[in-house]
């Protein structure tokens, strides 16, 4: 008997199985129509609720695609079940019932027919789903649903360990997707986001050591008629399933898709229904996986099964030319005699800080005019920095570093954590002050988060190496140990986003901190956690792009909104944080490609750097606009901000905005790529 109780069982079942997963397909009273999904250890994980479903604009009853028979075949790929499906004819099914005399639908033949093919891949936990339907009428439909997976239905229900919808959601425990934990309405609703907002095509839910994932081809033209617009597969994600108000989780694909932001979340398209025409094809191509682990394991599994990370888009310039371009910008327009390097965006926009790439670049270009000119400016900065120093001796300098470390330790709690101090040492901007006064706090004083602990831990380990004082090392390890049970990166943008929202910056910092702890102790637990955290940057990274908007390897800073209601970080990309993670890793001699060879981190660095070069400003190309620094548009138009890179990129419009960020981090990553 089926486990799923919402299906009207017709008494027949068939099975696909291998050592990784099992699929039981059941016949409804009206035809073959749903499949149950089991893990390798026989746990009932969820149900593929139907073989497709159509809801017409003017008909209340959803019409399901069902089959009278099936064909079982074997191939090198695996074992398949193929069903010739057709849409249920409602009027025929009402014949002989009390409804026959007072309900009259105008269709006496199937609206659609087609094929559904389920293939259990040989020796893999993968069920391939291929749906293809053909319309036979001119129709206005509210939706056509393809793969529609209800995870936990009639088993563990809405309980979950975690769930990830890359670029959109990272949930833990009882948190709801589309919740207002990190957003306020209307941005909170993201059950069916614009497809461009999805970082890559996977949805996953895990429960007690097993993850269920649904992936799809985001470039597939699910349907199109004549010269009308293309519809792609629209992902639908609800955890718990608040769409059906049921006690489980929903992973689904449908059409129409959301062409614009105002069309998002229309699970039942009424204002603009989808037009179907005779002989119009509607198709889906997806994969359902059941694997041991958490949702992040489903993410990395998709990357592995997809052949690894995608090849980065071609760089805007050769790497060496890009380095020279950035060096020339620093040597010319970013230099102000007597003030140092910077841009005119801010009143005090220049400083004596030496660009991080300068020393290595000058050594590489030794003997050239640009190296000599840049060296003069670096020397001036060093001289100005030395003049502002007290000239203390080396031993006193070490003592000063020790005092810095001890001051840092004075903020540490007894349990090893570093608490949030929004009105004190964590006061960087007044965003959270304004949010607290006008809406609600983004974080509470005394609370803590991953990034608040691992950033001081990194500093303490560096100070320990400089001073040799074991108290600093012990404090760092206590902070990192406090964070070992954590599984979601949080807290990296505490100055403007909710403290516990999912965050890329925190993932990068935690990876570095744990690797340094491994080097300091040799303990395997820190290496394992470093690998976990560096992989945690992946759900924030665009590993696909639409045909008309280049965004491959663009990254999201977090899955939340600034100040609850300003910048929407599900829609917008930010590149500087991921660049900083890999620039700092390079500076510390950390090679993630060696540490975690299962992921091609060398390619990843090339990808994020090529993407960043795409973001570099050219005043002749009007794709950038400031927001809260409107006066900088004049500097932009004069070319004074050229070769800086934009603060944000809008995944829907494809335009850039925000502040202009100096390209030091890009140059450091270019040095890393071209080293040797």
């Amino acid at each position: 008997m089926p486990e799923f109780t919402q299906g009207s069982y017709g008494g027949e079942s068939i099975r696909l199985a291998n050592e990784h997963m099992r699929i039981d397909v059941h016949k409804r009273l009206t035809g073959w129509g749903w499949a149950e999904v089991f893990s390798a250890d026989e746990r009932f994980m969820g149900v593929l609720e139907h073989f497709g479903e159509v809801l017409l604009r003017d008909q209340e009853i959803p019409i399901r695609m069902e089959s009278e028979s099936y064909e079982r075949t074997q191939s090198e790929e695996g074992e398949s079940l193929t069903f010739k499906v057709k849409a249920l004819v409602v009027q025929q099914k009402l014949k002989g019932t009390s409804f026959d005399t007072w309900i009259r639908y105008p269709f006496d033949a199937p609206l659609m027919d087609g094929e559904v093919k389920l293939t259990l891949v040989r020796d893999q936990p993968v069920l391939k789903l291929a749906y293809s339907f053909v319309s036979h009428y001119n129709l206005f439909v509210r939706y056509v649903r393809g793969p529609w997976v209800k995870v936990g239905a009639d088993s563990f229900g809405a309980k979950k360990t975690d769930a990830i919808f890359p670029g959109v959601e990272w949930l833990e425990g009882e948190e709801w997707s589309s919740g207002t934990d990190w957003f306020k309405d209307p941005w909170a609703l993201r059950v069916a986001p614009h497809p461009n907002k999805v970082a890559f095509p996977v949805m996953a839910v895990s429960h007690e050591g097993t993850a269920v994932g649904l992936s799809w081809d985001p470039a597939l033209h699910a349907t199109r008629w004549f010269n009308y617009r293309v519809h792609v597969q629209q992902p639908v994600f609800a955890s718990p399933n608040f769409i059906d108000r049921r006690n489980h989780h929903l992973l689904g694909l449908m059409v129409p898709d959301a062409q614009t932001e105002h069309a998002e979340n229309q699970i039942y398209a009424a204002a603009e229904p989808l037009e179907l025409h005779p002989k119009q094809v509607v198709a889906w191509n997806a994969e359902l996986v059941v694997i041991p682990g958490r949702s992040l394991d489903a993410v990395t599994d998709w990357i592995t099964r997809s052949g690894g990370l995608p090849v980065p888009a071609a760089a805007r310039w050769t790497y060496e030319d890009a380095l020279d371009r950035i060096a020339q910008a620093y040597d010319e327009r970013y230099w102000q005699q007597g003030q140092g390097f910077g841009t005119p965006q801010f009143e005090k926009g220049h400083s004596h800080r030496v660009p991080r790439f300068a020393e290595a670049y000058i050594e590489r270009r030794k003997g050239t005019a640009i190296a000599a000119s840049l060296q003069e400016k670096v020397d001036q900065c060093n001289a100005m920095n030395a003049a502002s120093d007290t000239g203390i001796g080396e031993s006193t300098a070490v003592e000063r570093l020790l005092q810095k470390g001890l001051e840092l330790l004075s903020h540490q709690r007894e349990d090893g954590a570093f608490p949030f101090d929004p009105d004190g040492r964590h006061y960087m901007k007044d965003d959270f002050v304004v949010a607290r006064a006008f809406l609600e706090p983004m974080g509470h004083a005394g609370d803590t988060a991953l990034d608040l602990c691992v950033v001081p831990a990194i500093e303490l380990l560096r100070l320990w190496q400089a001073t040799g004082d074991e108290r600093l090392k012990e404090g760092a390890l206590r902070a990192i140990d406090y964070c070992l049970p954590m599984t979601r990166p949080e807290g990296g943008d505490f100055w403007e986003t909710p403290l516990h929202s999912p965050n890329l910056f925190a993932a990068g910092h935690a990876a570095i901190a744990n690797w340094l702890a491994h080097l300091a102790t040799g303990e395997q637990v820190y290496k394992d956690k470093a690998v976990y955290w560096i992989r945690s940057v992946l759900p924030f990274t665009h590993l696909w792009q639409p045909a008309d908007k280049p965004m491959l390897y663009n990254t999201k800073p977090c899955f939340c909104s600034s100040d609850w209601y300003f910048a929407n970080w599900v829609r917008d990309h930010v590149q500087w944080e991921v660049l900083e993670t890999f620039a700092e890793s390079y500076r510390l001699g950390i090679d993630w490609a060696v540490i975690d060879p299962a992921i091609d981190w060398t390619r990843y660095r090339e990808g994020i750097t090529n993407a960043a070069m795409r973001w570099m400003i050219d005043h002749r190309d009007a794709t950038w606009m400031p927001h809260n620094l409107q006066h900088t548009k004049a500097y932009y138009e004069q070319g004074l901000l050229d070769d800086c890179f934009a603060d944000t990129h809008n995944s829907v419009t494809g335009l850039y905005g925000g502040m202009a960020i100096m390209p030091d981090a890009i140059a450091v990553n270019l040095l890393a790529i071209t080293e040797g």
Side-chain angles (χ1 to χ4, degrees):
M1 291 293 294
E3 301 284 346
F4 183 57
T5 60
Q6 280 79 60
S8 300
Y9 186 44
E12 293 184 62
S13 302
I14 49 177
R15 176 171 293 178
L16 294 173
N18 62 21
E19 61 180 355
H20 301 288
M21 63 188 297
R22 186 184 101 212
I23 309 298
D24 289 349
V25 185
H26 302 291
K27 193 173 188 179
R28 298 182 187 275
L29 294 175
T30 49
W32 291 100
W34 91 88
E36 296 179 347
V37 182
F38 296 82
S39 64
D41 58 358
E42 299 294 313
R43 292 178 62 205
F44 177 41
M45 298 304 298
V47 60
L48 191 65
E49 189 182 30
H50 48 67
F51 288 167
E53 188 175 81
V54 184
L55 180 61
L56 300 183
R57 183 184 61 182
D58 301 315
Q59 186 168 323
E60 300 87 350
I61 302 173
I63 302 169
R64 285 182 171 151
M65 306 295 290
E66 296 181 344
S67 178
E68 296 177 356
S69 60
Y70 65 89
E71 179 183 6
R72 186 190 292 265
T73 56
Q74 290 275 1
S75 68
E76 290 185 4
E77 185 177 37
E79 187 174 18
S80 300
L81 294 171
T82 302
F83 300 86
K84 299 296 184 183
V85 296
K86 58 185 178 181
L88 195 71
V89 181
V90 175
Q91 198 63 48
Q92 291 179 358
K93 296 302 177 182
L94 295 178
K95 195 169 293 184
T97 72
S98 59
F99 291 90
D100 190 25
T101 58
W102 62 280
I103 290 181
R104 186 68 56 185
Y105 289 120
F107 300 103
D108 56 6
L111 306 176
M112 307 177 80
D113 61 21
E115 181 178 285
V116 170
K117 186 175 182 179
L118 311 180
T119 301
L120 185 59
V121 178
R122 190 182 308 277
D123 300 325
Q124 292 186 38
V126 179
L127 181 70
K128 289 194 171 185
L129 308 170
Y131 294 25
S132 181
F133 307 148
V134 179
S135 171
H136 296 299
Y137 291 86
N138 291 305
L139 302 171
F140 289 98
V141 304
R142 299 184 70 185
Y143 65 66
V144 185
R145 290 175 176 172
W148 207 252
V149 184
K150 294 186 171 179
V151 180
D154 289 329
S155 55
F156 51 85
K159 295 177 182 177
K160 67 176 179 295
T161 301
D162 63 7
I164 293 178
F165 187 9
V168 183
E169 304 271 16
W170 190 331
L171 310 168
E172 289 194 325
E174 297 180 353
E175 292 171 349
W176 283 46
S177 62
S178 293
T180 57
D181 306 73
W182 328 124
F183 296 82
K184 295 306 172 194
D185 288 324
W187 285 348
L189 186 59
R190 49 200 186 276
V191 62
H194 190 288
N196 286 10
K197 295 181 181 180
V198 181
F200 50 93
V202 180
M203 298 177 277
V205 176
S206 76
H207 178 256
E208 294 184 351
T210 302
V212 178
L214 180 69
S215 61
W216 63 98
D217 179 357
L220 176 70
H221 291 183
T223 192
R224 170 188 156 183
W225 176 252
F226 185 43
N227 59 359
Y228 293 12
R229 80 171 182 94
V230 170
H231 290 262
V232 298
Q233 302 180 89
Q234 171 66 56
V236 180
F237 178 85
S239 174
N241 183 5
F242 55 85
I243 293 173
D244 298 315
R245 298 174 180 85
R246 290 281 188 158
N247 187 39
H248 51 246
H249 313 276
L250 173 64
L251 315 178
L253 300 170
M254 61 169 278
V255 289
D257 66 8
Q259 185 180 23
T260 60
E261 285 193 278
H262 84 272
E264 290 182 311
N265 306 308
Q266 296 184 19
I267 306 302
Y268 305 92
E272 297 181 24
L274 174 66
E275 293 183 43
L276 293 180
H277 302 268
K279 304 301 181 183
Q280 184 172 345
V281 175
V282 185
W284 286 267
N285 187 352
E287 294 182 349
L288 183 66
V289 301
V290 180
I291 62 170
R294 304 174 66 92
S295 296
L296 187 59
D297 296 298
V299 166
T300 54
D301 174 76
W302 175 82
I303 291 172
T304 301
R305 287 188 295 104
S306 301
L309 292 172
V311 175
R316 190 172 177 181
W317 307 282
T318 69
Y319 293 145
E320 295 294 345
D321 285 347
L323 270 170
D324 291 338
R325 187 183 192 92
I326 292 171
Q328 186 172 0
Y330 273 86
D331 187 57
E332 296 176 356
R333 57 183 163 274
Y334 302 161
W335 174 256
Q336 188 73 29
Q337 189 66 29
Q339 297 182 38
F341 295 103
T343 69
Q345 289 183 101
F346 304 98
E347 184 178 349
K348 296 181 179 179
H350 292 75
S351 77
H352 303 157
R353 187 176 65 180
V354 176
R356 290 169 293 177
F357 78 96
E359 182 180 351
Y361 175 82
I362 291 168
E363 178 64 26
R364 183 178 295 192
R365 296 289 191 267
K366 186 180 296 185
T368 64
I370 181 66
S373 181
L374 195 57
Q375 182 68 66
E376 290 179 5
K377 295 174 176 61
V378 169
D379 290 342
Q380 289 184 46
C381 286
N382 287 333
M384 288 185 284
N385 291 331
S388 64
D389 203 346
T390 60
I392 56 176
E394 183 180 347
S395 60
T396 310
V398 171
E399 182 179 334
R400 191 165 60 174
L401 291 175
L402 176 58
Q403 290 304 313
K404 182 179 180 182
L406 295 177
E407 168 65 21
L408 197 52
L409 286 178
S410 71
H411 298 289
Q412 190 172 30
R413 296 191 323 211
E414 191 172 329
D415 61 2
F418 284 84
F420 186 40
D421 185 8
D423 297 309
R425 68 191 194 90
H426 290 124
Y427 189 98
M428 297 172 59
K429 298 168 62 181
D430 64 359
D431 297 52
F432 50 77
V433 177
V434 174
R436 180 175 63 196
F438 287 93
L439 195 58
E440 64 180 274
M442 294 188 294
H444 294 279
D447 196 1
T448 192
L450 178 70
D451 201 69
L452 297 182
C453 296
V454 296
V455 168
I458 293 170
E459 183 67 11
L460 286 168
L461 287 171
R462 292 171 60 188
L463 292 170
W464 162 66
Q465 291 174 332
T467 65
D469 194 298
E470 290 296 314
R471 290 174 293 179
L472 307 183
K473 174 184 174 183
E474 291 168 4
L477 294 179
R478 288 200 305 122
I480 294 170
D481 287 345
Y482 177 86
C483 298
L484 285 176
M486 297 180 181
T487 53
R488 179 174 65 188
E490 299 176 357
D493 290 273
F494 63 83
W495 52 86
E496 66 177 30
T497 64
L499 185 62
H500 293 291
S501 56
N503 185 275
L504 178 147
F505 214 20
H509 287 149
I512 290 170
N514 277 273
W515 181 251
L516 294 180
H518 170 70
L519 293 180
T521 66
E523 294 290 339
Q524 182 68 28
V525 64
Y526 298 127
K527 178 180 179 180
D528 293 343
K529 205 66 177 184
V531 169
Y532 178 87
W533 288 125
I534 196 62
R535 290 184 179 187
S536 294
V537 306
L538 295 170
F540 299 89
T541 309
H542 256 264
L543 301 180
W544 81 284
Q545 65 182 14
D548 60 337
K549 291 181 178 63
M551 61 180 71
L552 193 63
Y553 286 101
N554 285 2
T555 57
K556 306 283 183 72
C558 45
F559 304 154
C560 60
S561 61
S562 294
D563 313 317
W564 296 111
Y565 47 85
F566 278 132
N568 183 340
W569 298 125
V570 159
R571 180 193 64 201
D572 294 344
H573 301 127
V574 163
Q575 205 68 6
W576 70 266
E577 293 186 357
V578 74
L579 292 171
E580 288 293 336
T581 291
F582 282 82
E584 182 66 1
S585 295
Y586 174 64
R587 192 184 70 80
L588 294 171
I590 301 173
D591 188 344
W592 294 112
V594 173
I595 297 166
D596 181 25
I599 302 294
D600 189 347
W601 292 108
T602 300
R603 175 176 286 184
Y604 184 90
R605 184 196 294 274
E606 292 176 2
I608 61 171
T609 307
N610 288 13
M613 286 192 283
R614 195 166 59 227
W615 292 44
M616 288 170 64
I617 292 171
D618 182 341
H619 73 281
R620 297 166 298 181
D621 181 7
T623 59
W624 176 86
M625 181 74 73
H627 48 75
N628 58 334
L629 299 173
Q630 283 293 318
H631 68 280
T632 60
K633 191 164 189 299
Y635 303 134
Y636 167 72
E637 290 168 347
Q638 296 170 47
L640 297 178
L641 303 180
D642 280 4
D643 297 317
C644 289
F645 67 102
D647 184 23
T648 69
H649 172 267
N650 186 310
S651 64
V652 177
T653 67
L655 297 175
Y656 298 90
M659 294 177 291
I661 302 172
M662 293 176 67
D664 188 20
I666 298 177
V668 174
N669 281 288
L670 287 168
L671 288 169
I673 293 169
T674 57
E675 186 176 51

